[in-house]
Amino acid sequence: GKSEAFEWGDDNKIFEKPKLMRGKKVKHIACGGKHVLALTHEGDVYSWGEGSNGELGLGKKLTRTQNQQKLDDFPSPVRKIWAGCNQSVALLETGQLYFWGIYHSGPVYNPTLFKEFINFLQFEVIQLAFGYDSVLSLVKSKEDGKTSVYAYGSSQKGLLGL
Protein backbone atom coordinates (compact mmCIF):
# COMPACT_ATOMS: atom_id res chain seq x y z
CA GLY A 1 0.00 0.00 0.00
CA LYS A 2 0.85 3.64 -0.12
CA SER A 3 2.41 5.25 2.99
CA GLU A 4 2.51 8.95 3.72
CA ALA A 5 3.84 11.00 6.65
CA PHE A 6 2.91 14.62 7.37
CA GLU A 7 4.36 17.24 9.71
CA TRP A 8 2.91 20.50 10.96
CA GLY A 9 2.78 23.05 13.73
CA ASP A 10 4.48 24.05 16.95
CA ASP A 11 2.28 25.35 19.75
CA ASN A 12 -0.60 25.48 17.24
CA LYS A 13 1.34 27.72 14.85
CA ILE A 14 1.59 26.46 11.29
CA PHE A 15 5.08 27.05 9.88
CA GLU A 16 4.18 25.84 6.42
CA LYS A 17 1.74 23.54 4.70
CA PRO A 18 2.06 19.89 5.78
CA LYS A 19 4.39 18.01 3.50
CA LEU A 20 5.14 14.41 2.73
CA MET A 21 8.34 12.48 3.13
CA ARG A 22 8.27 12.42 -0.65
CA GLY A 23 9.50 9.25 -2.28
CA LYS A 24 10.06 7.50 1.07
CA LYS A 25 8.12 4.42 2.16
CA VAL A 26 7.72 4.87 5.93
CA LYS A 27 7.43 1.68 7.96
CA HIS A 28 7.44 3.14 11.50
CA ILE A 29 7.25 6.53 13.17
CA ALA A 30 8.19 7.49 16.74
CA CYS A 31 7.42 10.77 18.52
CA GLY A 32 9.54 12.13 21.36
CA GLY A 33 9.07 15.22 23.50
CA LYS A 34 9.81 17.66 20.68
CA HIS A 35 11.21 15.44 17.94
CA VAL A 36 10.08 12.79 15.48
CA LEU A 37 11.83 9.79 13.95
CA ALA A 38 10.76 7.93 10.83
CA LEU A 39 12.06 4.52 9.70
CA THR A 40 11.78 3.59 6.04
CA HIS A 41 11.33 0.11 4.59
CA GLU A 42 14.95 0.37 3.41
CA GLY A 43 16.18 0.72 7.01
CA ASP A 44 17.00 4.43 6.86
CA VAL A 45 16.19 6.78 9.77
CA TYR A 46 15.04 10.39 9.39
CA SER A 47 14.56 12.93 12.17
CA TRP A 48 13.04 16.38 12.55
CA GLY A 49 11.81 18.73 15.25
CA GLU A 50 13.83 20.15 18.14
CA GLY A 51 16.81 18.38 19.65
CA SER A 52 18.94 20.72 21.73
CA ASN A 53 20.19 17.70 23.72
CA GLY A 54 21.03 15.58 20.68
CA GLU A 55 17.62 13.95 20.21
CA LEU A 56 17.78 14.49 16.44
CA GLY A 57 21.11 12.70 16.06
CA LEU A 58 22.37 15.45 13.77
CA GLY A 59 25.30 16.75 15.81
CA LYS A 60 25.67 19.91 17.88
CA LYS A 61 25.20 22.33 14.99
CA LEU A 62 21.72 21.26 13.87
CA THR A 63 19.38 21.23 16.86
CA ARG A 64 16.13 22.23 15.15
CA THR A 65 14.77 21.43 11.71
CA GLN A 66 11.39 21.28 10.05
CA ASN A 67 12.81 19.23 7.20
CA GLN A 68 13.39 15.53 7.54
CA GLN A 69 17.11 14.81 7.82
CA LYS A 70 18.58 11.38 7.10
CA LEU A 71 20.91 9.98 9.77
CA ASP A 72 23.97 8.39 8.16
CA ASP A 73 25.71 7.07 11.28
CA PHE A 74 24.62 3.42 11.13
CA PRO A 75 26.86 0.61 9.84
CA SER A 76 23.85 -1.52 8.81
CA PRO A 77 20.11 -1.06 8.17
CA VAL A 78 17.89 -0.18 11.12
CA ARG A 79 15.20 -2.66 12.20
CA LYS A 80 13.31 -0.65 14.88
CA ILE A 81 13.24 2.89 16.30
CA TRP A 82 12.01 4.43 19.54
CA ALA A 83 11.80 8.00 20.81
CA GLY A 84 11.66 9.11 24.42
CA CYS A 85 11.11 12.57 25.77
CA ASN A 86 14.80 13.45 25.32
CA GLN A 87 16.26 10.33 23.67
CA SER A 88 16.24 8.31 20.49
CA VAL A 89 17.18 4.67 19.97
CA ALA A 90 17.70 2.50 16.90
CA LEU A 91 18.03 -1.28 16.80
CA LEU A 92 20.12 -2.40 13.83
CA GLU A 93 19.66 -5.61 11.85
CA THR A 94 22.98 -6.71 13.39
CA GLY A 95 21.42 -6.57 16.88
CA GLN A 96 23.39 -3.49 17.92
CA LEU A 97 21.53 -0.77 19.81
CA TYR A 98 22.40 2.84 19.00
CA PHE A 99 21.42 5.69 21.28
CA TRP A 100 21.44 9.50 21.11
CA GLY A 101 20.00 12.33 23.22
CA ILE A 102 20.11 12.73 27.02
CA TYR A 103 22.08 10.06 28.84
CA HIS A 104 23.32 9.97 32.43
CA SER A 105 26.76 11.20 31.30
CA GLY A 106 25.27 14.14 29.37
CA PRO A 107 23.98 14.87 25.85
CA VAL A 108 24.94 12.51 23.01
CA TYR A 109 24.60 14.40 19.72
CA ASN A 110 25.16 11.59 17.22
CA PRO A 111 23.92 7.97 17.16
CA THR A 112 26.40 6.02 19.27
CA LEU A 113 26.84 2.36 20.10
CA PHE A 114 27.05 2.03 23.86
CA LYS A 115 29.22 -0.74 25.27
CA GLU A 116 26.90 -1.32 28.25
CA PHE A 117 23.97 -2.30 26.02
CA ILE A 118 23.60 -6.04 25.56
CA ASN A 119 23.76 -7.56 22.10
CA PHE A 120 20.12 -7.66 21.12
CA LEU A 121 20.62 -10.37 18.47
CA GLN A 122 19.94 -12.99 21.13
CA PHE A 123 16.72 -11.23 22.19
CA GLU A 124 13.50 -9.98 20.72
CA VAL A 125 12.95 -6.43 21.93
CA ILE A 126 9.38 -6.25 23.19
CA GLN A 127 9.40 -2.70 24.54
CA LEU A 128 11.64 0.22 25.47
CA ALA A 129 10.66 2.79 28.11
CA PHE A 130 12.37 6.09 28.77
CA GLY A 131 13.00 8.30 31.77
CA TYR A 132 14.69 11.69 31.60
CA ASP A 133 18.16 10.11 31.39
CA SER A 134 17.50 6.38 31.58
CA VAL A 135 16.22 3.58 29.35
CA LEU A 136 14.58 0.28 30.30
CA SER A 137 14.25 -2.59 27.86
CA LEU A 138 11.88 -5.54 28.05
CA VAL A 139 13.32 -8.39 26.01
CA LYS A 140 12.50 -12.03 25.29
CA SER A 141 15.25 -14.60 24.88
CA LYS A 142 15.27 -16.27 21.46
CA GLU A 143 16.80 -19.34 23.10
CA ASP A 144 14.36 -20.12 25.92
CA GLY A 145 11.54 -17.55 25.53
CA LYS A 146 12.10 -16.03 28.98
CA THR A 147 11.63 -12.30 29.41
CA SER A 148 14.08 -9.97 31.14
CA VAL A 149 14.30 -6.27 31.92
CA TYR A 150 17.58 -4.37 31.42
CA ALA A 151 18.08 -0.83 32.72
CA TYR A 152 20.64 1.76 31.58
CA GLY A 153 21.47 5.32 32.54
CA SER A 154 21.06 7.29 35.74
CA SER A 155 20.14 5.40 38.88
CA GLN A 156 19.17 8.53 40.84
CA LYS A 157 16.34 7.95 43.29
CA GLY A 158 16.25 4.23 42.42
CA LEU A 159 15.10 4.76 38.82
CA LEU A 160 16.92 1.67 37.59
CA GLY A 161 15.66 -0.54 40.38
CA LEU A 162 19.12 -0.83 41.93
Side-chain angles (χ1 to χ4, degrees), residues 32-35 53-55 83-88 99-103 130-133:
K34 294 182 178 181
H35 70 292
N53 292 302
E55 300 94 315
C85 184
N86 301 298
Q87 311 92 343
S88 300
F99 177 94
W100 59 102
I102 288 286
Y103 196 62
F130 301 89
Y132 177 78
D133 56 1

Side-chain angles (χ1 to χ4, degrees), residues 6 9 12 27 32-33 80 85 114 118 134 137 142 154:
F6 295 89
N12 298 319
K27 144 176 160 173
K80 291 184 180 181
C85 184
F114 280 86
I118 59 170
S134 58
S137 58
K142 291 180 179 177
S154 173

Side-chain angles (χ1 to χ4, degrees), residues 25 57 64 110 128 142:
K25 293 183 179 181
R64 183 181 178 117
N110 294 298
L128 290 182
K142 291 180 179 177

Side-chain angles (χ1 to χ4, degrees), residues 131-146:
Y132 177 78
D133 56 1
S134 58
V135 180
L136 291 123
S137 58
L138 175 62
V139 298
K140 182 167 105 177
S141 171
K142 291 180 179 177
E143 185 178 313
D144 61 15
K146 291 182 180 177

